[in-house]
Amino acid sequence: MAYRRTERVIQRFNARRDAIVQAAQALAAESGMEAIQIAHVAARAGIAAGTVYRYFPSKSDLVAALITFVTERDLAAIRRAAGGAPGPLSAIAVVIIEWAARAVRRRRLTWAVLATTDGTAADALRLAARKSLAAEFERLIAAAVAGAHLPEQNCALAAAAMFGTVMEVLVGPLAPSYDSEAAARAAIQAVTLVVLRGVGIIDARARGLVVQAPWPRPDEA
C-alpha cells in the first residue's frame, strides 16, 4: 500500500511538472524565451507562483527543462519517422520533412529553444540540442553511404549543413512569412530538395522522395 501511495505521489509530481513545462512552452511559442517569467508561467498553468518555485527554483531551471522537453520530443518524432521509412534515402527525406514541419509550425519556439543565446547555462543545453538533432541526420547519411546509396562524403559536415539550412531558411530571420499551410509546405519541400541534392541525391530521385514522403501530423504538444 505504501508503494502504491508513493507511486501516485510520483505520478502527481511528474504530471504537475510537465504541466508547468508545457505552460512555459506555450508562452515561448507565442512570444519567445523572454516571455518565460515565473509569474506568467504560473498564471498560464493555473497555479500559484510558489508552486512553480517548488518544482523549478529559478527561471534558468525552467528554461533548461523546456529545452530538454522540446528536444526530446523532436528526437523521438524524427526517430519514429526514420523507423517507418522503406529505405535509407527515404529515411533521410522523411526526417528532414518531419523536423522541418515541426520547426515551422512552432517557428518562434524552435528559434527560442535552439538559436537564442542569453549567456546562461542554457546556451550549453541549446548547443547540445543542436548536436543531438544533427547527429540523427549524420546517422542516416552514414547508413546511406555505407549501403552505397550515397557517395562517400564527410557525414558530420553534411549533417551540420542539412540542419543549418533548415534552421536558417525556414525558421531564422531569413525565413519567409507563411500566409498559409500550403505556402509553408511548399517552402519545406523546396528546402528538402536542396539538402537532398547536397548529399548527392540526383534531382529526379530527390523529387520522387519528397513527393512520396508522408506529411507529418501536427504536433499536439
Side-chain angles (χ1 to χ4, degrees):
M1 184 65 69
Y3 170 76
R4 290 181 179 176
R5 283 201 297 269
T6 300
E7 189 175 61
R8 286 197 294 271
V9 169
I10 293 172
Q11 289 174 345
R12 286 198 297 271
F13 177 91
N14 290 338
R16 176 59 62 82
R17 187 181 188 279
D18 287 347
I20 293 170
V21 174
Q22 287 170 10
Q25 176 180 282
L27 289 170
E30 292 170 2
S31 305
M33 204 63 87
E34 63 274 11
I36 300 181
Q37 304 296 331
I38 297 298
H40 297 161
V41 172
R44 176 60 67 95
I47 58 178
T51 302
V52 177
Y53 280 114
R54 286 206 295 271
Y55 290 83
F56 301 100
S58 69
K59 173 182 173 179
S60 296
D61 293 319
L62 181 52
V63 169
L66 173 60
I67 293 171
T68 300
F69 178 78
V70 172
T71 303
E72 287 178 349
R73 287 182 64 85
D74 283 349
L75 286 170
I78 64 177
R79 286 167 183 161
R80 284 194 302 271
L89 297 185
S90 296
I92 296 172
V94 299
V95 162
I96 296 167
I97 292 174
E98 175 73 39
W99 186 68
R102 294 172 70 84
V104 168
R105 286 179 184 135
R106 311 160 311 168
R107 181 172 169 179
R108 189 184 293 272
L109 175 65
T110 300
W111 192 256
V113 166
L114 293 175
T116 302
T117 58
D118 53 18
T120 69
D123 287 347
L125 278 176
R126 291 186 177 95
L127 179 58
R130 293 168 74 97
K131 288 181 176 179
S132 295
L133 290 162
E136 291 299 312
F137 296 149
E138 181 181 355
R139 178 178 63 83
L140 296 173
I141 295 168
V145 171
H149 300 285
L150 288 179
E152 290 290 336
Q153 57 194 283
N154 186 320
C155 298
L157 285 180
M162 189 175 285
F163 177 87
T165 299
V166 172
M167 279 293 291
E168 191 63 40
V169 178
L170 295 177
V171 182
L174 295 181
S177 297
Y178 309 110
D179 55 8
S180 67
E181 176 72 17
R185 182 177 298 205
I188 290 168
Q189 290 175 334
V191 169
T192 302
L193 282 172
V194 169
V195 295
L196 289 177
R197 292 168 189 151
V199 295
I201 303 175
I202 60 174
D203 187 67
R205 198 169 188 184
R207 289 181 181 278
L209 291 171
V210 170
V211 169
Q212 294 167 19
W215 196 252
R217 290 177 297 180
D219 183 13
E220 296 177 356

